[in-house]
Amino acid sequence: ELLNAKKMRGSKAGAHIAIALTKEPQRMVVGEGIETVLAVWTSFHHAGRDLGDTAFWAAGDLGNMAGRAVKTVPHPTLKRPNGRALSVPNDHPDPDDPGLTIPDSVDELVLLGDGDSEPVLTRFAMLRAARRYLRPGRTIRIAFAPGGRDFNDVLREDRF
């Protein structure tokens, strides 16, 4: 059966695709897709960064990375065909949804945001993920690709 390149079978809730593993990572880089995360790993590797304590995961999509929101809010500019504001998940995580299982050993979590995704939805999702995975002693950083591009675009532009 030929599947769409972005199609995933079964439930992806809380699942991840390991791009690079380490036994007890101190740092973790998590992004939506394989290409995004692999582009960042490749950039770090080519720059000579020590990645021995860093794991790289792809969540499959933004919703899985951020988890469910506690409620929706009106989008400030996007409208439905009837003129009403489009509802989008807000930036507060639903406490009943654990999201990804970030190892306790992780004291620095870097969340990768694509610059070619809808900006309001992406910003809310990234803030929701940061709030969801924050623990005492853990630093959360959000890195956005430049507007209109993702990290794979940036890597390809820099290399070719």
Side-chain angles (χ1 to χ4, degrees):
E1 176 183 2
L2 187 61
L3 299 176
N4 179 308
K6 299 226 176 217
K7 184 167 268 196
M8 296 171 64
R9 286 190 163 193
S11 174
K12 65 181 175 286
H16 68 275
I17 301 161
I19 305 301
L21 292 174
T22 187
K23 187 171 172 128
E24 289 192 14
Q26 293 177 338
R27 182 180 305 114
M28 179 170 281
V29 178
V30 179
E32 282 186 62
I34 294 168
E35 296 87 356
T36 291
V37 178
L38 188 55
V40 172
W41 179 90
T42 300
S43 296
F44 286 0
H45 177 73
H46 284 293
R49 294 202 40 188
D50 178 8
L51 302 175
D53 66 349
T54 307
F56 291 79
W57 288 4
D61 65 29
L62 189 59
N64 193 43
M65 184 167 85
R68 277 194 318 263
V70 71
K71 66 178 186 173
T72 61
V73 295
H75 191 286
T77 58
L78 296 181
K79 307 287 183 202
R80 295 186 176 280
N82 65 5
R84 297 178 105 183
L86 183 69
S87 293
V88 295
N90 75 354
D91 58 352
H92 293 281
D94 180 342
D96 294 329
D97 177 21
L100 300 174
T101 304
I102 306 298
D104 291 335
S105 62
V106 172
D107 56 20
E108 181 182 1
L109 178 62
V110 180
L111 302 169
L112 303 175
D114 288 342
D116 59 357
S117 297
E118 200 289 312
V120 172
L121 185 70
T122 303
R123 187 177 75 244
F124 281 170
M126 299 304 284
L127 291 171
R128 187 168 65 248
R131 288 182 170 132
R132 179 179 309 286
Y133 303 121
L134 187 61
R135 303 286 181 273
R138 181 181 289 162
T139 301
I140 309 270
R141 301 180 198 286
I142 299 174
F144 282 99
R149 300 184 304 183
D150 62 27
F151 287 101
N152 190 42
D153 296 330
V154 173
L155 175 65
R156 291 177 41 215
E157 289 167 8
D158 288 347
R159 295 189 47 89
F160 300 108

